Amino acid sequence: MPRASDAKRMTAPEYLEFEANAEIKHEFVNGFVFAMTGGTEAHNLIIGAIYTRARLAAAGKPCRAYMEGVKLSVPSGNYYYPDVFVSCNEDEFGKDIKTTACFVVEVLSNRTGDIDRGEKLHNYHRLEGLKAYVLVSQKSQLVEIYRALEDGTWRYETVEEGSFKLPCLDLELSLAEVYEDVELD
């Protein structure tokens, strides 16, 4: 991955114009553009399992599930492509960029784990209406969840067996469902 210092800075409007014509997806962080690289088979299967169940759970509710190809704009002015997220903001349905999310899921990799646990955690926590930020390992059956509490603080929990609940959709996912057909490292 190129260093940010080697890249030309862009404004958000310049990024959005650039991204509209790009052949691959890019995230926009603090004025710099970073190409999204392909994921592993495990990454793909995990995202697919979570998205499919979230999409089905959203049927008939005022929420929609999205995966990888939809941008999420955060209050810092950055733009990300979360692996999976759910938005319940009907005013944004049909738009390519969302500014709210009920929950966001990122599947961890060696390359992105530090970013997901640091920069993205910090930025996603500032999203309006975010109730959970979920990190899913591809090395072992492990799900880490940061849950928003009513007093504005966050609770961290880990799930290594059984199941966990995702907000807004009243969706309960078992680790067996999340990791179905996945060969762990």
Side-chain angles (χ1 to χ4, degrees):
M1 173 183 282
R3 295 184 328 230
S5 61
D6 295 337
K8 174 185 174 279
R9 290 186 67 92
M10 286 187 181
T11 65
E14 289 171 335
Y15 159 74
L16 293 172
E17 183 178 336
F18 167 78
E19 188 67 1
N21 299 307
E23 292 184 22
I24 61 170
K25 295 181 296 193
H26 301 81
E27 292 187 329
F28 180 75
V29 180
N30 300 327
F32 294 100
V33 176
F34 298 92
M36 304 286 296
T37 59
T40 64
E41 179 178 351
H43 187 269
N44 184 274
L45 291 170
I46 292 167
I47 291 169
I50 296 170
Y51 169 77
T52 299
R53 286 161 177 88
R55 176 95 166 108
L56 291 171
K61 293 184 173 77
C63 299
R64 293 202 178 150
Y66 302 98
M67 62 185 280
E68 296 184 304
V70 176
K71 282 187 279 305
L72 183 59
S73 173
V74 296
S76 64
N78 295 341
Y79 291 85
Y80 299 109
Y81 285 99
D83 289 328
V84 177
F85 72 100
V86 166
S87 176
C88 300
N89 184 347
E90 294 182 28
D91 292 339
E92 293 185 343
F93 292 172
K95 296 182 180 177
D96 293 334
I97 301 170
K98 311 301 178 200
T99 61
T100 62
C102 173
F103 67 82
V104 174
V105 177
E106 294 285 7
V107 177
L108 299 170
S109 71
N110 290 336
R111 189 182 60 79
T112 65
D114 290 342
I115 294 167
D116 293 334
R117 283 192 174 93
E119 169 198 316
K120 287 185 179 182
L121 171 64
H122 173 76
N123 283 305
Y124 288 152
H125 273 186
R126 297 167 53 198
L127 278 170
E128 178 185 333
L130 186 72
K131 297 183 182 338
Y133 178 47
V134 182
L135 300 171
V136 183
S137 174
Q138 15 179 358
K139 291 184 175 187
S140 63
Q141 286 195 11
L142 172 65
V143 174
E144 300 169 77
I145 306 169
Y146 295 86
R147 291 193 189 275
L149 302 178
E150 289 191 24
D151 66 0
T153 62
W154 291 82
R155 182 181 72 220
Y156 173 79
E157 62 189 71
T158 59
V159 180
E160 296 183 71
E161 59 183 41
S163 61
F164 59 97
K165 289 189 177 185
L166 293 174
C168 300
L169 303 178
D170 296 321
L171 174 61
E172 185 165 349
L173 291 172
S174 71
L175 290 185
E177 292 171 319
V178 171
Y179 289 99
E180 183 177 359
D181 298 326
V182 175
E183 291 183 29
L184 299 170
D185 291 341

